[in-house]
Amino acid sequence: MSANPSVSQNKKGIIMKFHSTKNSCSAVTASEAVRAGLASDGGLFVPDSFPVLDSYVLQPDITYMERAIRVLKPFFGGDPAELRIEEICSEAFNFPVPLRWLDDKQAVLELFHGPTLAFKDFGARFLSEFLEKTCPEGMSPLTVLVATSGDTGGAVAAAFHKKRCATVRVFFPQSGVSDRQRAQLTCWGENVTSYSVQGTFDDCQSLVKHAFTIPGLSEKMGLTSANSINLGRLLPQTVYYVHSTVLFRERTGVAPYIVVPTGNVGNVTAAFWAKKMGAPIAGIILAVNANRTIPDYLETGLYNKRKSVATLANAMDVGHPSNMERLINLFPTFEEIRNEVKAFSVSDDQIKETIRRCYEETGEILCPHTAVAERVRGEQLPGMPSIVVATAHPAKFETIVEPLIGKPLEIPASLAEMLKRPRHEISITPDTNLVGLVQSDKVA
Ligand SMILES: *Cc1c(COP(=O)(O)O)cnc(C)c1O
């Protein structure tokens, strides 16, 4: 076990292990890491070593599904789940993942064609299918706790609804989500309960993190997390970086820069992992909103966690990103992290200006999160080969986008269906005692 994972060939038969970023508990298999969510020492699981992508995975002419299976299988080497990866992928990734070209050098990777119209569907659906297909017969359901700034909760609720493997508790900031996000968070019932917390996303995250530290609760309730601290959310996100960059290189002959709208640093960590495995990526840029924790850290070397501030790109309103621990684990010295990781902040005014201008100039309609990344591409990478990651469908944020483009947005069918359903939510304060809450079987 090493704090500084080295790249090694994962040949057939090699057992893949994962260790904690805090390095003070023993290494586990992928299944164990996914079921636990967080390591027992409070750290996040990272691979002991990274599999190297082979020439088959790096060819352009294979389907998304084939690539997903080939990229993900080595992470489950020696794990009983290895045999179920095909099935899990084919259930989870049943929607398109288009790479759309703006011109001959610039593309947009659209990750919002899943059921809840944000990239969170990839991780949430993989995680739910994984748990459902590997859950031992007769085992009582897990309790999945999820803190959400808007999109994660909807994706996790949709992915787990009516699954037998888990009951789900979603915690979202009462006044921090759009009405359509709220519909996606609260239209479920059965095994899914949604709590609106009278506070910020950071309060929601603290509530959930605290539950894992209550002695005995984790074992008793089979607690796990469906936040991007869970390895089962992160691994499937590596696939679309491999896929899109292979297609990009096939068409242009060069490896692209990737610009990722970033909040809790989960999605962009998957990009760094894909690069480490050998995906053709020239560099990775974090585009953040007014929550400047990361750019300030890279500039000064001092990491100051903050309270999150509310912005138009609400799914990125994070003052203390959980997955920074994984990035620091990948690049252990400040020198390395400063060389490898670039981050730029975009204000709300710039988000608005970018949505308006892109629509006027090209007809492109961006969600506020994707606008953060387009802004950064325009300023930092003019004319360079690049992919902007489009993380949500603009129709989820119609109250922001419609006035800027001056016309109504079409509502995709999956969203229209969720908007029609009855909603259930329970309002709680940030200091609510989760023990009572989690142990109650009451479902609103
Ligand atoms: C969650 C989310 C992000 C931020 O992703 P992280 O993995 O938290 O960095 C960006 N855009 C949208 C639309 C999201 O839902």
Side-chain angles (χ1 to χ4, degrees):
M1 184 163 96
S2 146
N4 182 7
S6 59
V7 176
S8 72
Q9 186 73 43
N10 190 283
K11 296 191 192 67
K12 259 204 163 54
I14 286 193
I15 295 173
M16 178 63 85
K17 290 273 189 171
F18 297 81
H19 63 274
S20 161
T21 48
K22 293 207 195 319
N23 249 324
S24 48
C25 56
S26 46
V28 301
T29 67
S31 284
E32 290 165 335
V34 172
R35 295 189 81 80
L38 203 63
S40 59
D41 61 3
L44 309 189
F45 288 112
V46 292
D48 279 2
S49 66
F50 284 87
V52 174
L53 300 174
D54 60 24
S55 56
Y56 185 87
V57 178
L58 291 171
Q59 62 178 314
D61 301 326
I62 58 175
T63 63
Y64 190 86
M65 194 66 64
E66 267 183 286
R67 211 179 314 270
I69 293 162
R70 290 287 191 123
V71 170
L72 294 175
K73 244 191 181 167
F75 285 108
F76 295 87
D79 188 300
E82 192 179 4
L83 302 173
R84 312 297 297 270
I85 294 300
E86 269 108 354
E87 268 174 272
I88 293 167
C89 288
S90 66
E91 295 281 340
F93 308 135
N94 61 351
F95 49 89
V97 194
L99 182 66
R100 209 162 39 74
W101 292 88
L102 302 179
D103 57 33
D104 56 1
K105 283 199 208 125
Q106 304 196 95
V108 175
L109 176 61
E110 292 186 353
L111 300 181
F112 53 69
H113 297 284
T116 67
L117 311 180
F119 82 88
K120 304 291 194 326
D121 285 323
F122 288 85
R125 291 177 65 80
F126 183 86
L127 181 62
S128 79
E129 292 301 336
F130 182 91
L131 293 175
E132 191 78 353
K133 300 224 154 47
T134 61
C135 176
E137 242 351 277
M139 186 153 150
S140 49
L142 295 168
T143 302
V144 172
L145 299 182
V146 55
T148 183
S149 53
D151 290 331
T152 297
V156 170
F160 280 87
H161 186 226
K162 295 190 175 168
K163 293 258 190 276
R164 70 184 166 86
C165 61
T167 62
V168 174
R169 315 270 173 166
V170 180
F171 301 86
F172 65 93
Q174 192 153 66
S175 47
V177 300
S178 77
D179 184 65
R180 288 183 182 173
Q181 284 178 317
R182 201 180 204 103
Q184 292 178 328
L185 287 163
T186 60
C187 73
W188 307 103
E190 280 92 19
N191 61 332
V192 177
T193 311
S194 304
Y195 300 92
S196 65
V197 178
Q198 295 153 29
T200 63
F201 167 66
D202 292 320
D203 293 320
C204 299
Q205 190 153 261
S206 306
L207 262 172
V208 166
K209 278 193 170 164
H210 178 67
F212 284 89
T213 66
I214 298 170
L217 189 68
S218 207
E219 295 73 26
K220 181 163 174 227
M221 300 303 299
L223 287 192
T224 189
S225 161
N227 279 103
S228 55
I229 55 176
N230 192 312
L231 190 72
R233 288 245 335 254
L234 228 54
L235 292 179
Q237 293 176 184
T238 59
V239 176
Y240 47 71
Y241 291 110
V242 178
H243 187 71
S244 61
T245 57
V246 166
L247 296 183
F248 192 101
R249 186 174 59 181
E250 170 69 6
R251 171 154 160 169
T252 65
V254 293
Y257 287 86
I258 299 187
V259 188
V260 185
T262 294
N264 220 2
V265 188
N267 202 11
V268 80
T269 295
F272 280 105
W273 286 6
K275 184 167 190 278
K276 185 103 180 168
M277 288 188 272
I281 297 174
I284 296 167
I285 297 182
L286 284 65
V288 303
N289 58 25
N291 290 278
R292 298 190 41 98
T293 306
I294 300 168
D296 288 350
Y297 163 64
L298 295 173
E299 206 163 288
T300 63
L302 300 172
Y303 184 87
N304 286 317
K305 60 177 180 185
R306 320 235 166 103
K307 265 194 142 8
S308 58
V309 299
T311 76
L312 296 175
N314 68 10
M316 294 152 57
D317 292 348
V318 185
H320 179 29
S322 303
N323 285 288
M324 266 314 274
E325 248 176 84
R326 285 191 166 115
L327 272 196
I328 290 169
N329 188 268
L330 198 59
F331 306 117
T333 67
F334 183 62
E335 195 61 25
E336 278 175 86
I337 203 159
R338 209 181 38 189
N339 288 337
E340 297 290 333
V341 181
K342 308 288 172 202
F344 300 94
S345 161
V346 171
S347 71
D348 274 359
D349 282 345
Q350 291 173 319
I351 291 175
K352 286 194 218 162
E353 203 264 331
T354 306
I355 293 174
R356 199 182 292 123
R357 189 168 39 80
C358 278
Y359 180 65
E360 278 164 13
E361 289 176 3
T362 67
E364 291 291 307
I365 303 175
L366 307 175
C367 89
H369 311 81
T370 309
V372 172
E374 269 302 356
R375 181 78 184 198
V376 169
R377 163 153 69 184
E379 287 180 355
Q380 304 297 326
L381 301 168
M384 301 282 282
S386 55
I387 295 176
V388 154
V389 176
T391 47
H393 193 292
K396 280 187 98 159
F397 304 94
E398 84 289 0
T399 54
I400 299 165
V401 176
E402 287 178 352
L404 293 168
I405 64 168
K407 69 166 197 184
L409 292 164
E410 265 176 54
I411 301 178
S414 63
L415 175 59
E417 201 262 315
M418 287 178 203
L419 289 172
K420 277 191 283 190
R421 288 198 222 153
R423 305 184 186 187
H424 320 266
E425 68 180 66
I426 301 171
S427 175
I428 61 170
T429 57
D431 56 6
T432 299
N433 176 359
L434 273 198
V435 180
L437 202 72
V438 168
Q439 289 180 339
S440 79
D441 287 320
K442 184 173 163 299
V443 171

